[in-house]
Amino acid sequence: MKKIIPCGFHCIKIKDLGVSFGGQQVLENINLHIHCGQISAVIGRNGAGKSTLVRAILNEVPHTGEIQFKNKMDNTMQGLRIGYVPQAVNIDRTTPLSVYDMFQSFTGKLPILVKTKKEHEHVRAALAEFDVDGLIDQPVGTLSGGQLQRVLLAMAVHDTPNLLLLDEPVSGIDKNGMDDFYEKMQYLKETHDLAIILVSHDLDYVYKYADNVILIDKTVTAAGKPKQVFESDAFKRVFGKGAIGEVEVAANV
């Protein structure tokens, strides 16, 4: 796969976004600028609206406000292509569906029963970027959590999205898997012309790898560089004053 160096001029603008369910306001006045070539981590307490924000960007829930994709070089508005890796995928362990079949069912133009050498090699090349090309013919139900995660990432970025949305994608992954995941995020931001929004509870990894951090509690309560957000009063109210020192130690281990 040809690598694309991020230009840094594409900007995703979220303006006055709000979401309500049954008369209850879940999100309000969300205003963000997300740039390509950067990892923006969304953090917050449970129930703060992090996953709802992801679903709103995906247009899976009704919302107010605007989501715009802008080229800062010529000030034009463009269509936003999104890649998405969910928090969890329920897969029947007995399914005969192979990795190739799953990849094609989500991303291919041919029916999954139609297998050509060209398409097989195309999928293999996409999987190879995440070091899982050897799993192409393996049943999906036999994959480990880390292997499935890499396959889902390959599916999410194969069509050169402008934005990669990751909703707590490392739940249940061990430390080695976490290290591999965040190193891959670093690779993606440096070699693809896309922006990354990552919802995460892993504060030490966020501190180490994120370019920007967005703290949400119904609205944006703090945003900026990791150190700036982690030292904010809003962060201390949610995670406690001791969390800062613990995160700094963990990030430097």
Side-chain angles (χ1 to χ4, degrees):
M1 181 181 292
K2 183 179 178 182
K3 304 300 183 293
I4 305 170
I5 304 302
C7 67
F9 293 113
H10 293 153
C11 174
I12 298 154
K13 285 189 174 182
I14 299 174
K15 300 175 65 177
D16 300 322
L17 185 141
V19 176
S20 61
F21 298 124
Q24 181 180 359
Q25 197 74 32
V26 180
L27 292 174
E28 61 183 358
N29 299 324
I30 301 291
N31 291 280
L32 298 170
H33 286 191
I34 309 294
H35 296 275
C36 68
Q38 295 185 355
I39 298 174
S40 296
V42 179
I43 63 174
R45 62 176 178 81
N46 291 333
K50 303 183 297 296
S51 292
T52 300
L53 174 61
V54 170
R55 293 176 64 198
I57 295 172
L58 290 168
N59 276 322
E60 290 185 351
V61 295
H63 61 83
T64 56
E66 295 181 273
I67 301 172
Q68 302 174 344
F69 178 50
K70 194 172 186 179
N71 186 333
K72 293 171 65 179
M73 288 293 287
D74 56 18
N75 217 33
T76 59
M77 305 302 294
Q78 304 176 18
L80 179 62
R81 298 189 309 277
I82 300 176
Y84 173 54
V85 177
Q87 186 174 135
V89 178
N90 294 321
I91 293 179
D92 183 352
R93 288 290 177 182
T94 65
T95 180
L97 193 74
S98 71
V99 169
Y100 173 83
D101 294 335
M102 183 174 73
F103 199 109
Q104 282 294 84
S105 68
F106 280 92
T107 64
K109 296 179 180 178
L110 296 175
I112 62 174
L113 294 179
V114 179
K115 296 185 179 181
T116 67
K117 183 177 180 180
K118 180 179 179 181
E119 280 300 303
H120 199 272
E121 288 307 308
H122 171 76
V123 172
R124 184 184 294 277
L127 294 170
E129 188 171 18
F130 295 86
D131 304 316
V132 285
D133 48 312
L135 303 176
I136 188 169
D137 295 316
Q138 187 166 320
V140 174
T142 66
L143 301 183
S144 69
Q147 289 172 332
L148 178 59
Q149 175 204 85
R150 286 172 175 259
V151 170
L152 293 174
L153 281 170
M155 292 167 54
V157 304
H158 93 288
D159 199 26
T160 58
N162 311 116
L163 172 64
L164 178 60
L165 281 176
L166 305 160
D167 188 5
E168 297 187 48
V170 289
S171 299
I173 304 297
D174 62 20
K175 186 180 184 305
N176 288 337
M178 296 272 286
D179 291 340
D180 289 343
F181 170 81
Y182 279 92
E183 287 170 8
K184 184 59 71 174
M185 291 304 99
Q186 186 75 13
Y187 161 81
L188 283 176
K189 82 163 191 176
E190 292 173 352
T191 59
H192 289 65
D193 195 17
L194 54 73
I196 299 172
I197 294 180
L198 167 66
V199 176
S200 179
H201 286 289
D202 308 307
L203 298 181
D204 49 341
Y205 286 95
V206 166
Y207 190 86
K208 181 177 180 180
Y209 286 97
D211 298 287
N212 303 293
V213 177
I214 302 156
L215 177 58
I216 284 182
D217 191 359
K218 191 175 177 180
T219 190
V220 177
T221 57
K225 300 301 180 184
K227 185 175 178 62
Q228 175 187 354
V229 172
F230 280 48
E231 291 180 351
S232 68
D233 290 338
F235 180 91
K236 294 172 187 176
R237 283 194 297 270
V238 175
F239 298 106
K241 295 180 180 180
I244 302 170
E246 294 172 6
V247 165
E248 290 178 330
V249 169
N252 289 309
V253 170

